[in-house]
Amino acid sequence: GDSVTQMEGPVTLSEEAFLTINCTYTATGYPSLFWYVQYPGEGLQLLLKATKADDKGSNKGFEATYRKETTSFHLEKGSVQVSDSAVYFCALARYGGATNKLIFGTGTLLAVQP
Amino acid sequence: GAGVSQSPSNKVTEKGKDVELRCDPISGHTALYWYRQSLGQGLEFLIYFQGNSAPDKSGLPSDRFSAERTGGSVSTLTIQRTQQEDSAVYLCASRLETYNSPLHFGNGTRLTVT
């Protein structure tokens, strides 16, 4: 069945460091891919998405490119801030047809230190 | 506008008791989801409602878990004879039934079974 694997945390970085959080998926066909973020004390919210191969999703300085050949959707940011400290979830969805649910990875905790 | 609302925000119950968790989705969102978030386990899909179609119950972990959605709006997740392993954060989400529209999550109900 479909699944998402993301790097385990916690990831601890200094402010202005470069961030990569790896995410790979297993799925047939062409799912849509998402990154969700959960800030402390808040609910999950969509960070960015990509719906087809080679699409790049971006938001708030974060980027991720849908790589069909490597079945990956790694999250990157060039210069992190303390306010980026949160848990990041990679997810895939295949809307339409028999299923309409999002499948999530286990989440990666990012801690950015000043 | 108002987001997804869940109540209670915290619930402590004794083992063996029944609990009901409530979700009020965003107005106009026809799709409603329940997920469970356990420490180190990521987000586990429980159940999905779409309009008047039969719900997708494939993620419910046992027959102690059930959910209903009345009038296509408010949903209640019921856990009977709670066990300690049911302790988790229960998240509700809703979305429009348009292609690739994102999930909007509530802040969750933290359930603790003592």
Side-chain angles (χ1 to χ4, degrees), chain B:
Chain B
V4 177
S5 177
Q6 292 188 245
S7 61
S9 55
N10 281 284
K11 177 71 177 178
V12 180
T13 190
E14 293 180 352
K15 178 181 172 180
K17 301 281 190 182
D18 297 352
V19 294
E20 285 189 352
L21 312 179
R22 176 189 168 102
C23 172
D24 205 338
I26 292 173
S27 178
H29 283 194
T30 54
L32 185 147
Y33 301 72
W34 284 97
Y35 283 83
R36 178 167 69 176
Q37 185 176 17
S38 304
L39 192 62
Q41 299 296 317
L43 276 80
E44 176 188 6
F45 167 79
L46 298 178
I47 189 169
Y48 157 66
F49 295 90
Q50 177 188 348
N52 296 320
S53 302
D56 176 354
K57 304 179 181 180
S58 60
L60 294 178
S62 77
D63 59 8
R64 296 186 295 105
F65 288 72
S66 63
E68 62 177 21
R69 188 178 185 191
T70 54
S73 181
V74 172
S75 177
T76 302
L77 177 69
T78 301
I79 309 173
Q80 296 178 308
R81 306 180 301 282
T82 51
Q83 303 295 312
Q84 288 186 331
E85 60 263 29
D86 299 334
S87 296
V89 177
Y90 289 82
L91 295 170
C92 178
S94 68
R95 64 184 282 266
L96 291 169
E97 282 296 337
T98 54
Y99 183 69
N100 279 324
S101 61
L103 287 183
H104 296 264
F105 282 86
N107 287 343
T109 294
R110 181 176 298 279
L111 175 66
T112 304
V113 181
T114 61

Side-chain angles (χ1 to χ4, degrees), chain A residues 36-97:
Chain A
Y36 277 79
V37 59
Q38 187 175 32
Y39 297 104
E42 298 183 16
L44 272 84
Q45 54 188 277
L46 177 67
L47 180 60
L48 53 83
K49 68 179 182 182
T51 59
K52 61 183 186 295
D54 299 325
D55 264 5
K56 178 185 286 187
S58 61
N59 186 25
K60 299 182 180 180
F62 290 88
E63 293 184 339
T65 302
Y66 188 159
R67 301 288 188 198
K68 181 71 175 174
E69 64 275 14
T70 54
T71 62
S72 65
F73 193 54
H74 304 321
L75 182 68
E76 297 182 335
K77 186 174 185 181
S79 177
V80 293
Q81 305 299 313
V82 172
S83 57
D84 294 327
S85 298
V87 181
Y88 293 82
F89 292 89
C90 186
L92 71 82
R94 196 195 314 281
Y95 293 125

